[in-house]
Amino acid sequence: MISVNNIHKSYTKDRETVKGVSFEVSEGTIFGLLGPNGAGKTTLMQIIATLLKPTSGSITIDGADSSKDMLEIHKKIGFLTTEIKLDPLSTPNKLFDFFAELYEIPKDQIKTKKQASFERLGILPFADKRINELSTGMKQKASIAISLIHDPKVIIFDEPTNGLDILTSKQVTDYLKELRDDGRCIILSTHIFSVAEELCDKIAVLIDGRIAASGSAEELMKLTGTDTFEQAFFKLYVDNHKEE
């Protein structure tokens, strides 16, 4: 479903942010990118979502080449980042309708889609409140509903639980599991160990722009000879991080 092949990204001649990253993600899988701030996670996610061009390397999503078939890829993916800001004076209701029109969803389907999505995410009581009146968690859930409005096969989420309270975080992670079980292909980035361990079928540990190791949490613990996933990460970090 997704093939990332030897991606490099440099913003300046003497500094490379992403350094030859490759991986594949199949349908019905949650693939996690785990790493500290500055590891290159957000840059890599933006490249996969075609918001940034790689310096070199290639990406295919459901058979479409990201360097040639951007419009086709945009139809296939749902992308969410904490940097996306909703119109503060609009409402979840109005924003859903606006983006449904952009995606050319038939008008007779919009109301049903909205009802199901808002009900699942607990947005209904807040559907007509202004975005600037909503909590951080409710804004995030509204963003999720909008980013998935076109039923994308591929979901790319950058730090989906960042800044959320415990209850909202659980709602979001439970929803992502449902989407995986529905056959979606999901890539998410996180720096939170518990999210990666609980949610991801496979985890790539990204350190200084490179994948230090990848596998399930159990496989990474076995690889590093550690007793917990957190210990496995720190062992990989110590072994692979170089001060510049």
Side-chain angles (χ1 to χ4, degrees):
M1 178 66 77
I2 299 178
S3 179
V4 176
N5 182 36
N6 198 27
I7 291 294
H8 290 258
K9 179 63 179 178
S10 300
Y11 289 102
T12 62
K13 290 182 179 179
D14 58 350
R15 185 169 182 83
E16 195 172 30
T17 303
V18 179
K19 307 170 183 177
V21 170
S22 299
F23 60 83
E24 293 190 354
V25 188
S26 57
E27 295 178 10
T29 301
I30 298 179
F31 183 92
L33 289 168
L34 175 70
N37 291 335
K41 301 188 303 298
T42 295
T43 295
L44 184 57
M45 300 285 273
Q46 290 178 343
I47 290 171
I48 296 169
T50 75
L51 298 181
L52 286 177
K53 288 186 177 181
T55 304
S56 63
S58 62
I59 296 171
T60 58
I61 296 179
D62 195 27
D65 185 331
S66 67
S67 65
K68 302 174 182 176
D69 306 316
M70 289 180 61
L71 182 59
E72 188 64 28
I73 283 178
H74 291 169
K75 293 177 182 178
K76 297 174 183 288
I77 67 172
F79 178 67
L80 178 68
T81 172
T82 52
E83 294 178 4
I84 292 177
K85 306 299 181 186
L86 302 176
D87 179 357
L89 299 181
S90 190
T91 67
N93 249 336
K94 291 178 181 178
L95 286 170
F96 194 97
D97 291 345
F98 173 75
F99 282 98
E101 277 195 53
L102 283 183
Y103 279 106
E104 299 181 338
I105 295 171
K107 289 187 177 181
D108 61 342
Q109 295 181 20
I110 294 175
K111 185 175 180 180
T112 303
K113 278 179 171 286
K114 186 196 299 183
Q115 178 75 20
S117 180
F118 281 15
E119 187 173 324
R120 174 62 189 81
L121 291 167
I123 300 172
L124 280 176
F126 308 92
D128 291 311
K129 284 187 173 291
R130 289 184 176 182
I131 296 299
N132 61 9
E133 297 174 335
L134 301 179
S135 66
T136 299
M138 193 55 61
K139 289 176 185 175
Q140 180 77 327
K141 289 192 286 187
S143 296
I144 291 171
I146 291 166
S147 67
L148 302 181
I149 204 168
H150 55 305
D151 294 325
K153 294 181 178 180
V154 174
I155 298 166
I156 304 169
F157 278 178
D158 188 15
E159 302 283 1
T161 62
N162 195 31
L164 302 184
D165 62 64
I166 295 172
L167 292 177
T168 306
S169 179
K170 187 176 188 317
Q171 278 185 302
V172 170
T173 55
D174 285 350
Y175 189 42
L176 289 174
K177 289 177 185 176
E178 289 177 20
L179 293 168
R180 174 197 58 196
D181 294 343
D182 191 41
R184 314 296 178 93
C185 175
I186 301 171
I187 299 179
L188 64 85
S189 72
T190 185
H191 62 273
I192 303 172
F193 299 118
S194 58
V195 170
E197 186 172 11
E198 176 194 350
L199 199 54
C200 299
D201 303 295
K202 188 173 182 180
I203 303 160
V205 177
L206 195 66
I207 297 171
D208 298 340
R210 294 187 177 91
I211 293 180
S214 63
S216 66
E218 292 77 11
E219 288 169 342
L220 292 173
M221 287 157 52
K222 185 176 180 180
L223 175 68
T224 55
T226 53
D227 296 324
T228 68
F229 178 58
E230 187 172 342
Q231 290 173 352
F233 171 81
F234 283 117
K235 176 79 164 55
L236 288 167
Y237 183 82
V238 169
D239 291 347
N240 291 275
H241 174 63
K242 294 180 181 178
E243 295 290 346
E244 297 183 358

